[in-house]
Amino acid sequence: MSAQIILASASPRRKELLEQIRVSYRVNPVDLDETPRPNENPKAYVQRLAAEKSAACVLQCGDVLPVLAADTSVVLGDLIMGKPKDQDDAIEMLKQLSGQTHQVFTALSLRGQQHWQALSITEVTFRRLTESEILAYWQTGEPADKAGSYAIQGVGGAFVKSIQGSFSGVVGLPLFETAELLAKQGIELFK
């Protein structure tokens, strides 16, 4: 099947979610500086990064196919938690999330006939975590490349007491919003 879109991401989770709704894609990840700007709020941050990723991908690939990009951040208060730098950073993030409710922001950017954007915000509540659980979780390898140092679809799902919003948004590609953007571009799902 020929590709319907270009996915500006190498995330296996985003690929799986597109496959779940039977959207065919070609992968063209882009590498950008993901440092938040001074005083940039979480919403503006994820929307900016998603838009910059889709724009960079269009520059690389041309406009032969629509380009879908996404950015996901875990947010506690006003603190944007990206991927951990190392074990100490991951352990500190998980300690901060322990027993708290945080938000997961996932922004989408689709460039085709026009540029469309969408934003999913989900509330996630963690149960209290012990230091030994946090260390054992780090040793699974799962938190190393995940925003907020956890994967809701993996072992880290055991920490989640409740969510309010989009499960797929927390994973990294909110399917409801993705389907809406693709429909605007005339892309049919489930083919």
Side-chain angles (χ1 to χ4, degrees), residues 59-129:
L59 282 175
Q60 289 175 6
C61 299
D63 59 359
V64 292
L65 288 173
V67 170
L68 178 66
D71 190 74
T72 301
S73 286
V74 171
V75 179
L76 182 62
D78 288 328
L79 177 65
I80 298 169
M81 295 181 163
K83 296 175 183 176
K85 293 187 269 315
D86 54 26
Q87 177 180 337
D88 291 341
D89 193 29
I91 289 170
E92 184 56 34
M93 283 188 211
L94 291 166
K95 283 181 180 179
Q96 290 176 17
L97 295 174
S98 176
Q100 301 294 318
T101 297
H102 63 275
Q103 295 179 311
V104 178
F105 288 63
T106 298
L108 299 172
S109 173
L110 179 67
R111 291 182 192 269
Q113 299 161 346
Q114 296 180 45
H115 178 218
W116 292 284
Q117 291 185 280
L119 178 67
S120 167
I121 302 174
T122 301
E123 303 258 326
V124 180
T125 303
F126 266 28
R127 64 175 173 80
R128 292 218 176 274
L129 309 178

Side-chain angles (χ1 to χ4, degrees), residues 7-18:
L7 176 62
S9 171
S11 164
R13 293 153 302 278
R14 290 189 177 120
K15 291 187 234 177
E16 287 169 10
L17 288 163
L18 282 175

